[in-house]
Amino acid sequence: QVQLVESGGGVVQPGRSLRLSCAASGFTFSNYDMHWVRQAPGKGLEWVAIISHDGGNKYYADSVKGRFTISRDNSKNTLSLQMNSLRAEDTAVYYCAKDPGFQRSYNWFGPWGQGTLVTVSS
Amino acid sequence: DIQMTQSPSTLSASVGDRVTITCRASQSLSNWLAWYQQKAGKAPKLLIYKASSLESGVPSRFSGSGSGTEFTLTISSLQPDDFATYYCQQYESYPLTFGQGTKLEIK
């Protein structure tokens, strides 16, 4: 079955960087677009970014554009999110999620990982 | 950006009740809308996509309807496992956006 396991979260000071990873298994990773979605403590869901199955296309939420970079390594079945210039408002649980579309974006979210908490605080 | 507004924000109901949650979009989505269920401390779970298509494995008491700018999620007979927070999400255009959530509580 599909399994997504995020890692890399932690406490980081404002202005610093952090890299999240999502290890995928149970499906052919290279055939599916992938998303990052976040949730601030006690708040709702916010889509962060998408990367196409081949890494050729990426889209970002305005709130992270220019600071965050989504990437993937299809040889290692791993999705990443490089987060630079972190702000207090980036504090959230970050989820990776699989797009259901085969080699295309359907843009809803199939299985999700369990999430990893990022806390930006001095 | 497309704004998504859910109502109500909180809903109190009893086991066996029929409940409906509404989601309104700031512009037409056709039927590009999904619904998710989230329990405390857990990742969201997909329930409905394309406004009315039931995700595999989701109980048939869940149903979705609507098109354009107004959508509903209906639970026909509430079960104890259904008390959770529900979110709608539009995928008509980027950025993908969610409603603010509806918390379904036990009355």
Side-chain angles (χ1 to χ4, degrees), chain B residues 44-67:
Chain B
K45 172 188 170 185
L46 176 67
L47 299 175
I48 302 281
Y49 58 94
K50 277 189 207 172
S52 60
S53 296
L54 193 68
E55 172 71 349
S56 176
V58 174
S60 59
R61 63 181 179 273
F62 291 91
S63 63
S65 65
S67 65

Side-chain angles (χ1 to χ4, degrees), chain A residues 35 37 39 43-47 50 59-62 95 100 105-115, chain B residues 1 32 34 36 38 41-46 48-50 55 87 89-91 94-100:
Chain A
H35 300 263
V37 179
Q39 186 170 35
K43 303 297 184 182
L45 300 166
E46 180 186 18
W47 172 78
I50 181 177
Y59 295 95
Y60 298 90
D62 285 346
Y95 297 99
S105 305
Y106 283 178
N107 283 327
W108 69 84
F109 311 112
W112 301 54
Q114 86 289 349
Chain B
D1 298 3
W32 305 130
Y36 302 86
Q38 186 179 33
K42 301 294 187 181
K45 172 188 170 185
L46 176 67
I48 302 281
Y49 58 94
K50 277 189 207 172
E55 172 71 349
Y87 294 93
Q89 177 239 330
Q90 68 80 19
Y91 51 96
Y94 294 117
L96 309 178
T97 50
F98 292 88
Q100 82 280 11

Side-chain angles (χ1 to χ4, degrees), chain B residues 6-79:
Chain B
Q6 288 182 231
S7 60
S9 295
T10 306
L11 179 57
S12 296
S14 302
V15 172
D17 285 353
R18 178 184 180 92
V19 299
T20 297
I21 298 169
T22 298
C23 179
R24 291 185 174 87
S26 60
Q27 63 189 73
S28 179
L29 307 179
S30 181
N31 63 346
W32 305 130
L33 185 104
W35 288 96
Y36 302 86
Q37 177 194 66
Q38 186 179 33
K39 297 181 180 177
K42 301 294 187 181
K45 172 188 170 185
L46 176 67
L47 299 175
I48 302 281
Y49 58 94
K50 277 189 207 172
S52 60
S53 296
L54 193 68
E55 172 71 349
S56 176
V58 174
S60 59
R61 63 181 179 273
F62 291 91
S63 63
S65 65
S67 65
T69 62
E70 187 155 334
F71 302 86
T72 58
L73 173 71
T74 299
I75 309 173
S76 60
S77 178
L78 271 175
Q79 299 302 301

Side-chain angles (χ1 to χ4, degrees), chain A residues 15-87:
Chain A
R16 303 298 290 267
S17 299
L18 202 62
R19 187 177 184 89
L20 305 183
S21 295
C22 171
S25 60
F27 65 104
T28 304
F29 182 70
S30 60
N31 283 334
Y32 293 89
D33 295 9
M34 295 293 295
H35 300 263
W36 287 100
V37 179
R38 68 183 181 182
Q39 186 170 35
K43 303 297 184 182
L45 300 166
E46 180 186 18
W47 172 78
V48 173
I50 181 177
I51 185 168
S52 60
H53 65 283
D54 61 359
N57 290 297
K58 306 173 186 180
Y59 295 95
Y60 298 90
D62 285 346
S63 57
V64 307
K65 201 175 297 182
R67 299 188 299 123
F68 290 12
T69 301
I70 189 172
S71 61
R72 65 191 297 158
D73 185 338
N74 285 344
S75 68
K76 296 181 179 178
N77 292 346
T78 300
L79 174 72
S80 297
L81 186 69
Q82 177 66 40
M83 304 185 296
N84 299 331
S85 303
L86 282 161
R87 306 167 179 166

